[in-house]
Amino acid sequence: MSQLQDLVQDFKDRGLLLPVWFEGRSLKLMDQIKLPLSEEICRVDRVSDLAMAIKNMTIRGSGAIGTCGAWGLYLAAVQSGGKKEVVQEAAKLLKQTRPTAVNLSKTIDEMLGAASGSDGVSLIDNMENKSVEILSRQLEFEYRLGEHGAALIEDGDRILTHCHSGALAGSGYGGRALSVIRKAHEKGKRIHVFTSETRPYLQGARITAYELKRFGIPHTLLTDGMSGYCMSQGMIDKVVVGSDRVASNGDLANKVGTYMHALGAREHGVPFYTATSSHTIDFDCPSGQDIEVEYRDSREVTSFLSIRTSPKGTKALYPSFDITPHSMISGIITEKGVIKAPYSTNLQKLNHASVS
């Protein structure tokens, strides 16, 4: 396990805010449900526990969930002594946890490819090598898309973001949207971030605000329904959100509420960007209509942290994501550059050379 241990230590030495890491023969997770009131670390010894942590939002965010595919299958390989059938069962279990975010299934398929034709110590070694490759690549994506996105940010910009698309939702630097914002801040641009609460889990209020404070970036918290008013008053210059899946035509699946902000941005002439990596673009998915939207338990809307917030018997609806049409997106920020319309054509360039 020396390669992965060295990689984790390197990430920690860089001051990254890690959502998940390997320690000994177990995984450690930052419990995102407990933030910002406490910084608690969970120990995960079994893949079934990791699957539950993904389902119950202990760990969340498209990038972090994606890397769980690498961590989880490597955990299964180590603990089983390199039994391929155990790894394959772990893959099936993890793929069922969050269907909308495509990173998880892509990463798992990569890991299974590395396991093909091997067993025992050889399988473990191959899985470790692939894990190091995937984790290093994902972090590099964050740095690079941050650079490309920061070029779109002007000194003095007031930026609206939704949900949490930051370090703890990625590989430790800034995830998707906060990689752009953090890099702009590090370049000395005077920016101010408006972060929406993001009901019902309040990821924006709890985690985005937590990271912005930690990074020293000025910010203001909004309720979800305030963005239209703020745009109408000229208080927002740009919208930058993350992504859970991008269809091949540029349609965006992101945390529910994203579409509402995009509508407001279009009405008031505010540029609307999504930050993503090429790994989150599903070239096998023609449009947003083909993306499976995860529906979560309605009790997550009628209660918060097990405290009921609505009358007993109240019905609730909770689609975890919504679809923003590509026609409302000003640009898709990736590690290879900023993609502009027509997306059906220009997204294909991600498979080839860089774009600008």
Side-chain angles (χ1 to χ4, degrees):
M1 286 182 272
S2 59
Q3 284 192 76
L4 269 179
Q5 289 173 341
D6 289 347
L7 183 69
V8 169
Q9 188 58 52
D10 175 54
F11 282 9
K12 290 182 177 179
D13 290 344
R14 297 192 204 188
L16 300 178
L17 188 56
L18 296 180
V20 53
W21 64 96
F22 214 93
E23 195 171 294
R25 292 175 63 87
S26 303
L27 292 179
K28 297 295 181 68
L29 310 177
M30 173 74 82
D31 189 339
Q32 297 188 34
I33 296 175
K34 303 293 178 57
L35 290 172
L37 301 181
S38 64
E39 298 178 354
E40 297 187 20
I41 307 301
C42 299
R43 173 175 167 172
V44 172
D45 294 308
R46 299 177 299 179
V47 174
S48 58
D49 294 333
L50 178 61
M52 180 56 65
I54 296 171
K55 284 184 177 180
N56 68 17
M57 307 283 276
T58 297
I59 185 167
R60 41 142 307 280
S62 61
I65 293 173
T67 60
C68 280
W71 292 116
L73 266 61
Y74 182 66
L75 177 67
V78 169
Q79 294 192 338
S80 69
K83 293 181 179 178
K84 186 182 298 183
E85 62 272 17
V86 173
V87 172
Q88 291 171 336
E89 285 302 314
K92 291 178 183 178
L93 180 62
L94 290 174
K95 276 191 174 185
Q96 296 168 358
T97 56
R98 302 295 303 275
T100 303
V102 72
N103 286 33
L104 178 59
S105 60
K106 281 189 173 183
T107 300
I108 287 172
D109 288 342
E110 275 196 75
M111 292 291 288
L112 290 175
S116 178
S118 60
D119 218 334
V121 174
S122 175
L123 183 144
I124 296 173
D125 289 344
N126 290 344
M127 299 287 271
E128 181 175 15
N129 292 336
K130 179 56 69 172
S131 295
V132 169
E133 176 188 329
I134 289 170
L135 297 167
S136 300
R137 181 186 68 206
Q138 290 301 311
L139 179 61
E140 183 62 24
F141 282 177
E142 292 183 25
Y143 287 133
R144 286 161 56 189
L145 73 86
E147 286 283 353
H148 290 300
L152 298 170
I153 307 301
E154 298 177 34
D155 188 45
D157 268 352
R158 297 156 299 176
I159 305 163
L160 173 71
T161 192
H162 182 61
C163 193
H164 169 251
S165 178
L168 289 173
S171 298
Y173 173 70
R176 307 299 196 259
L178 288 197
S179 286
V180 173
I181 290 167
R182 185 176 182 181
K183 182 59 67 175
H185 175 72
E186 290 174 348
K187 288 179 175 293
K189 296 182 179 182
R190 294 167 298 174
I191 59 175
H192 192 99
V193 179
F194 288 87
T195 177
S196 56
E197 280 185 318
T198 321
R199 279 281 291 145
Y201 264 95
L202 301 179
Q203 296 99 316
R206 295 186 303 103
I207 314 176
T208 300
Y210 165 83
E211 288 195 13
L212 291 170
K213 180 180 179 181
R214 187 166 177 143
F215 300 152
I217 301 173
H219 58 281
T220 299
L221 180 64
L222 305 176
T223 65
D224 292 0
M226 290 180 183
S227 63
Y229 171 80
C230 291
M231 291 181 203
S232 73
Q233 298 300 302
M235 298 168 62
I236 306 295
D237 298 301
K238 291 182 176 70
V239 181
V240 181
V241 300
S243 63
D244 285 88
R245 185 180 301 207
V246 176
S248 62
N249 71 339
D251 290 350
L252 167 68
N254 196 49
K255 189 66 185 179
V256 68
T258 301
Y259 178 45
M260 177 182 69
H261 299 315
L263 287 168
R266 182 175 66 176
E267 176 67 20
H268 297 290
V270 175
F272 178 99
Y273 296 98
T274 182
T276 189
S277 72
S278 58
H279 209 237
T280 312
I281 298 168
D282 189 349
F283 292 101
D284 295 326
C285 180
S287 74
Q289 293 182 343
D290 302 292
I291 296 175
E292 178 185 355
V293 172
E294 173 191 357
Y295 276 75
R296 294 184 62 85
D297 194 322
S298 64
R299 288 175 294 182
E300 296 179 7
V301 175
T302 57
S303 302
F304 182 69
L305 296 180
S306 301
I307 300 173
R308 177 169 286 279
T309 56
S310 61
K312 188 175 182 179
T314 299
K315 294 182 179 180
L317 182 69
Y318 184 13
S320 193
F321 305 92
D322 59 23
I323 307 297
T324 299
H326 63 271
S327 59
M328 303 174 72
I329 299 174
S330 304
I332 299 174
I333 304 165
T334 78
E335 80 279 3
K336 294 185 178 180
V338 180
I339 312 298
K340 298 291 185 72
Y343 296 112
S344 294
T345 300
N346 291 337
L347 282 174
Q348 296 297 327
K349 295 179 183 179
L350 289 178
N351 295 324
H352 307 290
S354 295
V355 296
S356 60

